[in-house]
Amino acid sequence: MITIHENFDIRKLTTFGLPAECGRFIEYTGEDDLQKMRAEGILRDALPLGGGSNMLFTTGSFPGTVIHSTSRESLLRPQSDGSVELTLSAGYPLDEACAMAARVGLWGMENLSGIPGNIGGAAVQNVGAYGTELKDLLKSAVCFDSEVGELVRLSNGDCRYGYRDSAFKHMEYPCRLIVYAVVLRLAPNGAPNLAYSRLAKALEGRSGLTPMDVRRAIIALRNQKLPDPAKVGSAGSFFKNPVVSAAEYERICARYRENMVAEDGNAQADADQLVPGHVNASGEVKLSAAWLIDHAGCKSFSVGGAALWPSQPLVIVNADGHATGADVVALEERIRRRVQSVFGIDLQPEVIHIP
Ligand SMILES: Cc1cc2nc3c(=O)[nH]c(=O)nc-3n(C[C@H](O)[C@H](O)[C@H](O)COP(=O)(O)OP(=O)(O)OC[C@H]3O[C@@H](n4cnc5c(N)ncnc54)[C@H](O)[C@@H]3O)c2cc1C
């Protein structure tokens, strides 16, 4: 079923809670609705909105059409290899799916517990937390191909997943491939992924762990660090963690050490210890954007109603509930300039900017 609203206020459909209106807002459920919108030429210029938890409407007034799936179906299907397939329609909330999987004792989704948004958006963003990314579970994504007007099935490989990246983010226009349903592969006899040290510590000494135990631990850890979207507006981590070559990492460390020595003549610390980095399998180094922001001295920055969340400076929040998209963009630019001048790194936003 299609419902159309003209000049619609979508502020409450985003977790940032910034002023946001769109020219037309269309809610839909099934493939027929997508066919209808395609026939009317709507999909060429429209923007898909899931749970609005990674979106920043920069001007507060988006003149175009926003489309939103209200379909929330789920199906669990045991497979002959012992795994269980969970099929979710695009509008299914990710955290509800994590809760459902944990309740029935299926492993795989528990580390993604507490992430806002819907499974369609999660498949686009390749959400990740505590050592698990959606790509680790996704078997296939059923998408509506707006060019040919039919449902197509993309394998995990077809989705070309990377760090908060996927093929969906590199299409000619946002509705070219609309995620319609996602198929995840879960394990009834799995084991907890405790690669993340704070999670391992939180569950230390516990035996016979269930997916629900891990889910509860994850939610407790998230509550310590992140704002509750029901109380404080944000879009989660605002910037991506930069990934740099080993040579670039050396340069960043040397530059930071020089700055430290210039500020404090006694600074003798080893540069490698100064800028923490995690070397990945390909030899590249992943830096912590939160650490860079903190050590560039940005933690207390604010513009209008936009500020950084004290326990996690990677998160820009709508601190007083009255911030605007322009406040957030001005704060973002201020942080990027400062991090660039201290470390020579151009932080890239994770949050999607809609003009
Ligand atoms: C408090 C908080 C904590 C967060 N923590 C994390 C975290 O730990 N890890 C993490 O990775 N992210 C995190 N996020 C970010 C966010 O929740 C995820 O990126 C989420 O998966 C986005 O899903 P969504 O449904 O809200 O998508 P939206 O924000 O609505 O959309 C995201 C993108 O996907 C596109 N899109 C949405 N639905 C579809 C569809 N059906 N078909 C095609 N394109 C579509 C949109 O056009 C947009 O480009 C957090 C956000 C908040 C507010």
Side-chain angles (χ1 to χ4, degrees):
M1 197 182 83
I2 288 187
T3 316
I4 302 178
H5 311 263
E6 302 291 340
N7 301 319
F8 195 67
D9 187 347
I10 50 172
R11 179 200 289 248
K12 291 205 169 84
L13 300 176
T14 68
T15 53
F16 240 136
L18 306 167
E21 276 191 4
C22 63
R24 192 163 40 160
F25 182 67
I26 304 181
E27 292 172 291
Y28 68 94
T29 46
E31 187 195 349
D32 290 358
D33 303 332
L34 289 164
Q35 293 288 7
K36 221 177 278 172
M37 288 193 270
R38 176 176 182 266
E40 288 174 24
I42 290 171
L43 298 180
R44 263 270 160 191
D45 303 313
L47 174 74
L49 178 78
S53 62
N54 218 16
M55 299 280 233
L56 169 62
F57 287 88
T58 56
T59 65
S61 180
F62 174 71
T65 298
V66 170
I67 65 163
H68 175 73
S69 167
T70 55
S71 176
R72 284 169 159 240
E73 285 173 22
S74 65
L75 178 66
L76 280 169
R77 256 193 314 224
Q79 302 296 296
S80 54
D81 65 0
S83 67
V84 174
E85 268 185 22
L86 172 59
T87 303
L88 299 161
S89 53
Y92 204 96
L94 173 64
D95 187 52
E96 283 183 27
C98 295
M100 184 218 309
R103 258 194 316 272
V104 297
L106 289 171
W107 291 96
M109 301 191 77
E110 58 285 348
N111 289 26
L112 302 178
S113 293
I115 302 179
N118 299 341
I119 194 74
V124 170
Q125 293 299 92
N126 184 24
V127 289
Y130 298 94
T132 298
E133 287 182 305
L134 194 75
K135 75 166 171 56
D136 304 332
L137 316 169
L138 186 137
K139 185 177 176 205
S140 58
V142 179
C143 301
F144 184 76
D145 185 330
S146 300
E147 285 298 297
V148 293
E150 60 186 41
L151 291 178
V152 294
R153 186 179 292 269
L154 271 68
S155 68
N156 183 303
D158 294 335
C159 295
R160 297 203 305 277
Y161 280 122
Y163 168 50
R164 302 294 176 272
D165 197 17
S166 68
F168 306 106
K169 298 178 87 166
H170 301 278
M171 293 287 143
E172 310 90 283
Y173 53 98
C175 281
R176 168 67 211 279
L177 280 180
I178 299 168
V179 179
Y180 185 77
V182 168
V183 183
L184 305 177
R185 196 198 297 269
L186 305 178
N189 300 311
N193 171 0
L194 303 179
Y196 191 86
S197 59
R198 282 182 62 222
L199 177 61
K201 192 145 192 282
L203 291 167
E204 206 168 16
R206 304 259 312 260
S207 59
L209 286 174
T210 65
M212 190 54 90
D213 295 329
V214 179
R215 171 175 163 79
R216 289 197 183 108
I218 292 275
I219 290 175
L221 285 174
R222 293 180 69 92
N223 287 345
Q224 286 165 18
K225 276 205 113 175
L226 294 166
D228 175 354
K231 295 185 184 143
V232 183
S234 84
S237 302
F238 197 90
F239 298 100
K240 290 186 188 178
N241 290 317
V243 179
V244 298
S245 66
E248 178 77 350
Y249 179 60
E250 288 299 315
R251 189 194 61 69
I252 290 163
C253 290
R255 179 182 176 136
Y256 185 56
R257 184 170 53 182
E258 273 166 32
N259 285 347
M260 294 280 288
V261 172
E263 273 176 30
D264 171 4
N266 295 321
Q268 294 298 322
D270 184 330
D272 287 355
Q273 289 166 3
L274 284 175
V275 180
H278 173 77
V279 182
N280 66 24
S282 65
E284 288 179 315
V285 185
K286 190 172 189 177
L287 307 174
S288 158
W291 189 94
L292 296 169
I293 291 167
D294 188 4
H295 287 77
C298 305
K299 236 174 154 176
S300 60
F301 283 9
S302 67
V303 175
L308 296 175
W309 186 242
S311 54
Q312 176 45 288
L314 195 49
V315 177
I316 294 182
V317 293
N318 179 357
D320 63 357
H322 299 290
T324 63
D327 291 343
V328 174
V329 170
L331 178 57
E332 170 190 1
E333 282 169 1
R334 213 176 144 201
I335 293 166
R336 284 177 78 171
R337 273 199 305 275
R338 174 65 76 89
V339 170
Q340 175 73 52
S341 84
V342 175
F343 294 103
I345 298 172
D346 184 17
L347 285 182
Q348 293 301 312
E350 177 176 326
V351 173
I352 294 154
H353 291 47
I354 308 296

